[in-house]
Every structure is written in structure tokens, then in C-alpha cells.
Amino acid sequence: LFRSDRDADVNLIKSKKVAVIGYGSQGHAHSLNLKESGVEVQVALRTGSKSQPKVEAAGLTVISLDEAATWADVVMMLAPDTEQPAIYEQYIAPHMGKGKTLMFAHGFNIRYGTIKPPADVDVSMVAPKAPGHRVREIFAEGGGTPSLLAVHQDASGKAKELALSYAYGIGGTRAGVLETTFTEET
């Protein structure tokens, strides 16, 4: 199914606190686009990360990995796929519970079972189909990057609506969002 701006309610993501894990290619784009869309967002980094000055220079708030899942309603995993399982187990899993949402921009760790979220958490994906610098540039120009959306687990009954709202917040619905699965995206 194809979705666009008219299908999304940006107020859903605006009503949530979002922690973006990592500030690499996708992390910086998602964080800045969400902030400019009026979303309360913080960037979670390892203590002593070289990215911290960049995050702060961009006007974003840094939060520790320890605090991210406690503070946030939505946790977007944008660290490298190979690092996500360890980050999830050590810092995120202990604080993921009913009412929280775990999100990804790539289906790999859910598809291959290296991250196993609890049953009472929504698990979704919004995957822009461009490198982060282009996602950011196109958004800043008033456009958007086509994105894929998938729901792995819908504990709340509203996982798809929230993921679509997140896609709106990063500009994905401006260009269009296609629904898929974690397996197909991987």
C-alpha cells in the first residue's frame, strides 16, 4: 500500500519522546528532520562519542545510552546493524515495556532474530531509500525521500499509524511510503 502526507497524522509522533540511537548517516538526518517537524528528540550516544560535539552544534540534545529507553516513548535504532544487538541488550532491553515502540531503518536484526523485543512493545520500521545526507538535503529543500514502512509487532494496535507519523516527521510521506515487511526490506 502506498501512503503519503494525507494518510499520516503528524500529531502522533509529536506526542511522543523519541530517542535516536546513533548519529551516523541516518541518525543525523532522522534527528534533525524530526526536530524541525516539531518532535521532541534526543540523540543517544556512547559516553565519549566523537559525534557528541556535532550533535550539540546542530542544536540537538545528547542523552546517554543508559537513559535513552527510560526517557523515550520511541527508540529508533540507527547504530550500525552489527552494533545494534549489543546496544539493545545492554542499554535498551532493560527499559522496553508496555507502551513503548522500538523502531529500525533496516530489517536485518529483527529478520535474523539478533534482537528479540518483548511481546508488549510495538516494533516497526521506517527505511528511507537514500543515504542520510540525501534524506537531510531533500527534506531541507522541502521534499522527501521515498521510504519503506513495516510493522513486525503491533502490541498497541497503533504501530502502523505511529510509524507512518514518524515517516511524516522525517519527510518520507512527502515522496511516498510503501508498506512492506522486515523480511522483504532485508
Side-chain angles (χ1 to χ4, degrees):
L1 239 54
F2 179 81
R3 303 288 184 190
S4 65
D5 278 356
R6 70 180 179 278
D7 301 309
D9 178 0
V10 72
N11 293 314
L12 291 175
I13 198 64
K14 283 182 172 184
S15 72
K16 305 291 185 187
K17 295 182 288 188
V18 179
V20 173
I21 310 298
Y23 199 69
S25 178
Q26 291 292 330
H28 89 280
H30 287 235
S31 300
L32 291 168
N33 293 3
L34 288 167
K35 180 182 179 208
E36 289 176 16
S37 292
V39 177
E40 185 178 0
V41 61
Q42 293 189 26
V43 178
L45 300 173
R46 292 182 195 277
T47 304
S49 168
K50 291 181 276 180
S51 296
Q52 186 164 343
K54 293 180 209 165
V55 174
E56 292 168 345
L60 294 161
T61 303
V62 174
I63 190 171
S64 72
L65 289 170
D66 286 331
E67 300 168 295
T70 302
W71 172 80
D73 304 304
V74 176
V75 175
M76 174 51 110
M77 299 290 291
L78 294 175
D81 285 332
T82 54
E83 296 177 23
Q84 287 182 15
I87 290 170
Y88 178 79
E89 281 304 314
Q90 185 173 353
Y91 301 106
I92 308 304
H95 308 290
M96 290 303 288
K98 187 176 174 119
K100 300 253 185 187
T101 298
L102 181 63
M103 294 188 74
F104 297 86
H106 183 34
F108 186 87
N109 283 303
I110 292 297
R111 166 66 180 93
Y112 291 106
T114 55
I115 292 178
K116 293 179 174 60
D120 59 354
V121 170
D122 284 349
V123 181
S124 59
M125 174 180 60
V126 173
K129 301 298 26 168
H133 71 277
R134 284 298 293 153
V135 173
R136 180 69 186 135
E137 286 170 4
I138 294 167
F139 181 90
E141 293 166 359
T145 304
S147 300
L148 298 177
L149 180 150
V151 173
H152 172 72
Q153 193 166 280
D154 187 8
S156 71
K158 298 227 178 246
K160 183 170 28 171
E161 291 84 353
L162 183 61
L164 195 58
S165 183
Y166 184 100
Y168 185 104
I170 65 167
T173 55
R174 293 176 182 178
V177 175
L178 289 174
E179 291 183 43
T180 187
T181 65
F182 275 69
T183 298
E184 286 176 352
E185 191 279 336
T186 302

